[in-house]
C-alpha cells in the first residue's frame, strides 16, 4: 500500500472487469485500415505517401518536423487507396490515409532493432517507434522523456492502476508481456539516468503484483507498489502523490517535481521496438459493455474500423445507444462505429439505451458530496454556477482549469448533476479567454 497515511479524495466505483481472465486474442488483418494523421497531442502529421503507393508493415506513412509530434506507421502491407478529410470524435478535421490490405503483411525494409547506446539514441528510438501516451492523453513519449530538467528527475512511475471500470487491457499486458515491461523499464531508467522505478498497481490485480514482484526481486531500484483500488487512482497526479508524496503545483508538470509517468502499454511498445524495430502498429483493447455479445481483450491493428472490431467480438447483442472510446468515467463517446482504432485507444465499450440514458437532474441539495469527492480539491458546484453566469474571473479564482475531468463529482451527486461535463465546458470557456 501507499507509504502515506493520507490519500487524496477518491471514490469507489463498480468495476465490471468482465474480461480480467480473458487472454488477449489477435484479430485478423482487416480489408482496409484508416490511419488518422492526428493521433497525438501536438502538430498533426502530414501524409508521406500518395494515393496508389504500395506500402509495407511498419513503414512511415505520416510525419512532421514539429517537435511535439510522433510519426504514423502503416499497420498493414497493401495499397494507399485514398487520402481524405474526416471529422474526429473531438470535432476537428483530420486527414485519413486509407490502405487496402493485401493480407501478406510484408514487413518494410529497414525494420530492425535500433542501435541504442546512450540517451540520444534512446530518445531517437522512442520517437522512431511512433510512441505516444497510450493510457489516454497521447502526448508524444519522446517529448515527455526529455524534459529540460531530466537530471533532476529521480523517479519513473509505470501506471498499472487501470482504475476505470470494464477495462482490463493493461492488466492483460502486465500478465502477458511482463518481460517486455520489466526490460523496457530497466532500459528507460538506464538511458534516462533515473534512479528509482515504481510500478503502481491496484490491490485488486494481485496476480500482476505477485508476478512483477517476483521478476524484480533482485532489482532494488524497482518497486512494485500496491495501491488502494479506488477511482481515479490511475490519474497522473493521484498516482504521483501515492508513489512519492509529492503534489504537482498548478501549471507545472510531473518532471518539475522530479517524476515521469508512463503507461504499461507504452513501455511494452517501446521495448518491442528496441528488440525488433517494429514500431507501434497494434494495440491491446478491451471490448465490453452490455451491448457487446462476447466481451474480449483483442490485439488489433491501428486503423481497424471499430465495427470490424465489434464484429470480431460477435457483434452487438442489443442496439447500442452509446459507444465509448475508453472507460465509462473518462472515455469519449463516438458518433459512428465506422471510426477507426487510434494509438491511445484502450477500450471500446458499447451500452444499450437503458444503461446509457442520462438520468434526469433534480435540484442541488447542497450535500457537498461533489466537493468531498474531488481529487483536485475543487468546488464543482461553484465552478458550475460560475460557468452558468459566464463569470471568467470567478472561474479563474476557483482554479477550474485544474479539473482533470475524472467525473467523480458527477458520479457521487444524488441530484444527478452533470458537473464533470459542465466543468469541461468551463475549462474550454477559460481557454478561449471567456468568449461568450
Ligand atoms: S471532474 Fe473535475 S471537478 Fe469533478 S471531481 Fe474530477 S477533477 Fe474534480
Ligand atoms: S453533490 Fe450534487 S447535490 Fe450535492 S452539493 Fe454537489 S451538486 Fe449539489
Amino acid at each position: 500500500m501507499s507509504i502515506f497515511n493520507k490519500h487524496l479524495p477518491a471514490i469507489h466505483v463498480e468495476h465490471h472487469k468482465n474480461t480480467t481472465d480473458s487472454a488477449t486474442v489477435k484479430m485478423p488483418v482487416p480489408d482496409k485500415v484508416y490511419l488518422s494523421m492526428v493521433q497525438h497531442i501536438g502538430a498533426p502529421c502530414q501524409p508521406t505517401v500518395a494515393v496508389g503507393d504500395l506500402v509495407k508493415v511498419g513503414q512511415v506513412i505520416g510525419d512532421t518536423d514539429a517537435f511535439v509530434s510522433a510519426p504514423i506507421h502503416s499497420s498493414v502491407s497493401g495499397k494507399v487507396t485514398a487520402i481524405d478529410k474526416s471529422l474526429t470524435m473531438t470535432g476537428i478535421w483530420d486527414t485519413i490515409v486509407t490502405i487496402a490490405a493485401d493480407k501478406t503483411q510484408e514487413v518494410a525494409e529497414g525494420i530492425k532493432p535500433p542501435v541504442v547506446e546512450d540517451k540520444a539514441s534512446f530518445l531517437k528510438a522512442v520517437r522512431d517507434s511512433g510512441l505516444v501516451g497510450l493510457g489516454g492523453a497521447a502526448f508524444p513519449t519522446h517529448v515527455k522523456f526529455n524534459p529540460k530538467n531530466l537530471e533532476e528527475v529521480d523517479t519513473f512511475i509505470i501506471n498499472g492502476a487501470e482504475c476505470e471500470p470494464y477495462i482490463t487491457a493493461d492488466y492483460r499486458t502486465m500478465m502477458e508481456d511482463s518481460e517486455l515491461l520489466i526490460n523496457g523499464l530497466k532500459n528507460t531508467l538506464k538511458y534516462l539516468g533515473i534512479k528509482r522505478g515504481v510500478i503502481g498497481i491496484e490491490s485488486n490485480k494481485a496476480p500482476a503484483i505477485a508476478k512483477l514482484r517476483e521478476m524484480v526481486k533482485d532489482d532494488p531500484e524497482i518497486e512494485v507498489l500496491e495501491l488502494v483500488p479506488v477511482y481515479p487512482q490511475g490519474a497522473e497526479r493521484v498516482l504521483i502523490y501515492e508513489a512519492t508524496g509529492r503534489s504537482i503545483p498548478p501549471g507545472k508538470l510531473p518532471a518539475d517535481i522530479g517524476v515521469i509517468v508512463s503507461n504499461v502499454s507504452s513501455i511494452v511498445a517501446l521495448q518491442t521496438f528496441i528488440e525488433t524495430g517494429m514500431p507501434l502498429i497494434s494495440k491491446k483493447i478491451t471490448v465490453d459493455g452490455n451491448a457487446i455479445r462476447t466481451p474480449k481483450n483483442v490485439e488489433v491493428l491501428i486503423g481497424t474500423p471499430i465495427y470490424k472490431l465489434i464484429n470480431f467480438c460477435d457483434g452487438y447483442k442489443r442496439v447500442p445507444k452509446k459507444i465509448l472510446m475508453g472507460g465509462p468515467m473518462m472515455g469519449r463517446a463516438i458518433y459512428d462505429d465506422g471510426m477507426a482504432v487510434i494509438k491511445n485507444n484502450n477500450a471500446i465499450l458499447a451500452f444499450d439505451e437503458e444503461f446509457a440514458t442520462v438520468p434526469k437532474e433534480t435540484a442541488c441539495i447542497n450535500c457537498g458530496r461533489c466537493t468531498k469527492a474531488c481529487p483536485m480539491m475543487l468546488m464543482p458546484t461553484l465552478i458550475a454556477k460560475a460557468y452558468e453566469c459566464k463569470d471568467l474571473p470567478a472561474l479563474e479564482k476557483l482554479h477550474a482549469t485544474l479539473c482533470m475531468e475524472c467525473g467523480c463529482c458527477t458520479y457521487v451527486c444524488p441530484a444527478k448533476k452533470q458537473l464533470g461535463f459542465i466543468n469541461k465546458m468551463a475549462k474550454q470557456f477559460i481557454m478561449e479567454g471567456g468568449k461568450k
Side-chain angles (χ1 to χ4, degrees):
M1 295 288 173
S2 167
I3 52 175
F4 304 100
N5 292 328
K6 281 194 173 174
H7 299 288
L8 293 174
I11 59 171
H12 291 275
V13 293
E14 282 183 45
H15 277 286
H16 302 289
K17 302 259 188 189
N18 309 311
T19 53
T20 297
D21 297 322
S22 307
T24 308
V25 284
K26 208 167 178 173
M27 184 177 159
V29 178
D31 295 336
K32 283 185 179 179
V33 290
Y34 302 84
L35 293 160
S36 156
M37 294 292 109
V38 184
Q39 297 198 46
H40 50 261
I41 288 177
C45 286
Q46 300 302 322
T48 55
V49 289
V51 173
D53 284 0
L54 296 177
V55 296
K56 294 180 183 168
V57 177
Q59 181 179 331
V60 173
I61 55 127
D63 208 347
T64 164
D65 290 336
F67 181 58
V68 184
S69 67
I72 314 278
H73 301 84
S74 181
S75 52
V76 296
S77 58
K79 192 175 188 176
V80 178
T81 56
I83 297 178
D84 38 30
K85 299 279 181 193
S86 174
L87 265 184
T88 67
M89 62 184 165
T90 51
I92 57 166
W93 286 100
D94 183 11
T95 303
I96 306 285
V97 175
T98 304
I99 303 171
D102 62 15
K103 308 278 177 110
T104 65
Q105 288 303 81
E106 195 179 336
V107 172
E109 295 82 20
I111 296 285
K112 58 178 185 200
V115 177
V116 176
E117 49 199 8
D118 53 18
K119 186 180 107 180
S121 52
F122 177 73
L123 288 172
K124 180 178 182 314
V126 177
R127 188 182 192 282
D128 291 347
S129 71
L131 205 54
V132 301
L134 303 182
F139 191 73
T141 306
H142 72 101
V143 181
K144 185 187 245 192
F145 281 12
N146 194 18
K148 286 194 189 88
N149 65 334
L150 182 58
E151 67 293 342
E152 289 167 18
V153 174
D154 58 16
T155 308
F156 187 92
I157 303 176
I158 291 186
N159 186 352
E162 203 165 52
C163 55
E164 275 264 14
Y166 293 93
I167 310 179
T168 62
D170 276 354
Y171 173 71
R172 293 312 313 172
T173 301
M174 289 189 277
M175 296 302 288
E176 294 164 7
D177 302 321
S178 39
E179 216 166 291
L180 287 168
L181 178 66
I182 298 300
N183 290 339
L185 174 57
K186 286 182 181 174
N187 274 328
T188 306
L189 295 177
K190 177 176 157 189
Y191 291 115
L192 297 186
I194 299 174
K195 289 191 184 69
R196 180 182 179 225
V198 178
I199 307 173
I201 308 174
E202 286 185 321
S203 60
N204 56 7
K205 300 171 188 69
I209 294 173
K211 184 169 193 180
L212 297 178
R213 277 193 176 153
E214 175 61 24
M215 290 176 75
V216 299
K217 65 179 188 299
D218 298 324
D219 299 293
E221 76 280 17
I222 299 177
E223 177 191 0
V224 177
L225 179 68
E226 186 178 324
L227 302 165
V228 180
V230 288
Y231 180 86
Q233 193 64 271
E236 201 166 65
R237 286 169 183 269
V238 179
L239 184 60
I240 290 172
Y241 181 78
E242 291 291 320
T244 67
R246 300 174 198 165
S247 301
I248 307 175
K252 298 287 181 187
L253 295 169
D256 295 321
I257 55 163
V259 181
I260 295 176
V261 181
S262 187
N263 173 265
V264 164
S265 308
S266 304
I267 296 299
V268 166
L270 173 59
Q271 186 61 19
T272 301
F273 182 73
I274 287 174
E275 290 183 14
T276 66
M278 183 54 72
L280 180 62
I281 57 160
S282 67
K283 277 300 311 275
K284 274 189 180 148
I285 289 186
T286 300
V287 184
D288 202 348
N290 75 345
I292 299 289
R293 192 170 301 280
T294 313
K296 288 180 185 171
N297 281 304
V298 183
E299 184 172 342
V300 59
L301 293 173
I302 291 167
T304 298
I306 286 165
Y307 75 88
K308 289 270 183 193
L309 176 61
I310 290 172
N311 287 347
F312 183 67
C313 297
D314 305 320
Y316 297 110
K317 68 177 178 192
R318 298 195 179 101
V319 178
K321 166 80 174 175
K322 187 181 255 185
I323 303 174
L324 294 173
M325 232 185 213
M329 299 299 288
M330 292 188 80
R332 284 177 186 271
I334 58 170
Y335 60 86
D336 180 1
D337 63 5
M339 294 174 89
V341 168
I342 52 176
K343 289 180 180 180
N344 64 335
N345 196 183
N346 55 1
I348 294 293
L349 307 178
F351 298 100
D352 68 2
E353 172 134 31
E354 194 187 336
F355 206 91
T357 302
V358 179
K360 206 165 175 270
E361 268 188 40
T362 54
C364 170
I365 55 169
N366 293 319
C367 65
R369 283 187 208 172
C370 51
T371 302
K372 272 193 221 138
C374 177
M376 298 306 294
M377 326 273 190
L378 301 175
M379 291 191 274
T381 36
L382 295 187
I383 293 174
K385 274 182 194 151
Y387 176 67
E388 271 160 32
C389 304
K390 299 289 183 283
D391 186 344
L392 184 61
L395 285 171
E396 285 169 343
K397 216 168 152 187
L398 290 162
H399 301 291
T401 50
L402 289 182
C403 171
M404 57 181 171
E405 298 167 25
C406 66
C408 289
C409 48
T410 309
Y411 191 86
V412 298
C413 176
K416 308 295 176 205
K417 296 219 163 278
Q418 298 300 306
L419 297 163
F421 181 70
I422 298 168
N423 291 358
K424 193 178 193 164
M425 308 274 282
K427 279 169 68 179
Q428 189 66 33
F429 177 71
I430 295 170
M431 272 188 276
E432 287 168 359
K435 272 192 222 146
K436 292 181 192 171

